[in-house]
Amino acid sequence: MSRTKVAVIGSGNIGTDLMFKVLRLSETLEVAAMVGIDPDSDGLARADRLGVPTTASGVDGLIAMPHFDEIDIVFDATSAGAHHANAAALEPHGKRLIDLTPAAIGPFVVPAVNLDQHLDAPNVNMVTCGGQATIPIVAAISRVTEVPYAEIVASIASKSAGPGTRANIDEFTETTAQAIEAVGGATRGRAIIILNPAEPPLIMRDTVLALIGDPNPETHAAVRESIEAMIAEVAAYVPGYRLEQDIQITAATQSETLVGDTVVTHQISVFLEVEGAAHYLPSYAGNLDIMTSAALRVAEHLAAVSVSVPIRESV
């Protein structure tokens, strides 16, 4: 069976880890190009040693590659600002883009929640690491009962946050909050990220706080079951994804009794941790591992359904 050829733009931590995942784990994808802008980057050096075609001339170098027409899917693991330029350059060529930056040009995709909803979109966005970890939990709650407010806190090791992550902090909070609403189903969402400088570095930990207005114990039991089922779905493609402690459902405090037009009765607290698979990065970098694992899951699904993207003529 022929494999779908993919390219990775971005030879930093995320892009390099993604390359290793495709090489080691995928039976349907083939890395046909690793693209960077720093000829001395470790990612390009490793790709060279593994026999992956490389270019240090960015997206223009990718387009100039002799086998560019054979590439169907392009991962962008650069930055929100760079993705806008990369997407514009690739748009006339009919490539499928999987965006691992917070640029959010295309629709949000969280594999465990809406993998099949945007199969015809030329550019899909993987939200953020915090979004990939927490939005499935919000969605698990909202498919049982209304969620007028959901807040997530993503705590990651400072050492796992490279220049791209640090440059995109504002985009992280904005994009994640939007996706909590658009994909997770909350009426209002909020996102916070913490870069933890602890030594030795701690693995990624995420907290989901959701307010609901249903006091029924049967609903609470159904919420617990829904969350546990969702965690199993995510763990199927992110093996290090798990509950850190039991799900907590407690009566709301006085200050939380009204959100919008909804009378809130209970708060749901879910505490997660994400341990990385250490394909390229340390195991504490679960924040990067969940992004690359989710992107790989999306690419393999797109390759399986083979939905074509129309080629647009350059203007």
Side-chain angles (χ1 to χ4, degrees), residues 9 58-60 63 76-79 81-91 97:
I9 305 179
V59 69
D60 292 335
I63 294 170
D76 192 334
T78 56
S79 67
H83 179 68
H84 284 275
N86 293 337
L90 291 169
E91 185 179 15
L97 271 64

Side-chain angles (χ1 to χ4, degrees), residues 129-130 152-161 165-166 169 172-173 191-198 202-207 287:
C129 60
I152 72 96
V153 180
S155 177
I156 67 174
S158 182
K159 278 189 174 180
S160 71
T165 299
R166 294 174 185 276
I169 293 295
F172 175 99
T173 57
I192 300 168
I193 184 171
I194 298 171
L195 304 187
N196 191 329
L202 300 178
I203 67 173
M204 182 187 197
R205 287 190 168 87
D206 300 278
T207 302
N287 53 304

Side-chain angles (χ1 to χ4, degrees), residues 15-38:
T16 305
D17 186 68
L18 181 55
M19 176 185 70
F20 273 96
K21 277 186 168 54
V22 175
L23 291 172
R24 294 182 180 182
L25 303 180
S26 182
E27 298 180 355
T28 59
L29 305 178
E30 173 188 341
V31 184
M34 169 60 91
V35 181
I37 57 174
D38 178 5

Side-chain angles (χ1 to χ4, degrees), residues 130-209:
Q132 288 294 334
T134 60
I135 288 169
I137 304 303
V138 178
I141 300 168
S142 67
R143 66 189 178 186
V144 176
T145 187
E146 179 185 359
V147 180
Y149 178 81
E151 177 178 298
I152 72 96
V153 180
S155 177
I156 67 174
S158 182
K159 278 189 174 180
S160 71
T165 299
R166 294 174 185 276
N168 290 332
I169 293 295
D170 289 343
E171 290 88 348
F172 175 99
T173 57
E174 295 167 4
T175 296
T176 307
Q178 292 170 14
I180 289 170
E181 299 169 3
V183 182
T187 303
R188 180 185 168 203
R190 185 183 184 196
I192 300 168
I193 184 171
I194 298 171
L195 304 187
N196 191 329
E199 289 288 348
L202 300 178
I203 67 173
M204 182 187 197
R205 287 190 168 87
D206 300 278
T207 302
V208 180
L209 303 176

Side-chain angles (χ1 to χ4, degrees), residues 208-224:
V208 180
L209 303 176
L211 301 181
I212 64 172
D214 192 333
N216 191 334
E218 293 183 358
T219 300
H220 298 174
V223 165
R224 292 181 189 275

Side-chain angles (χ1 to χ4, degrees), residues 99-125:
D99 176 19
L100 287 84
T101 81
I105 294 175
F108 299 124
V109 173
V110 179
V113 181
N114 66 339
L115 186 60
D116 289 312
Q117 289 184 11
H118 302 291
L119 297 178
D120 59 346
N123 185 333
V124 296
N125 181 261

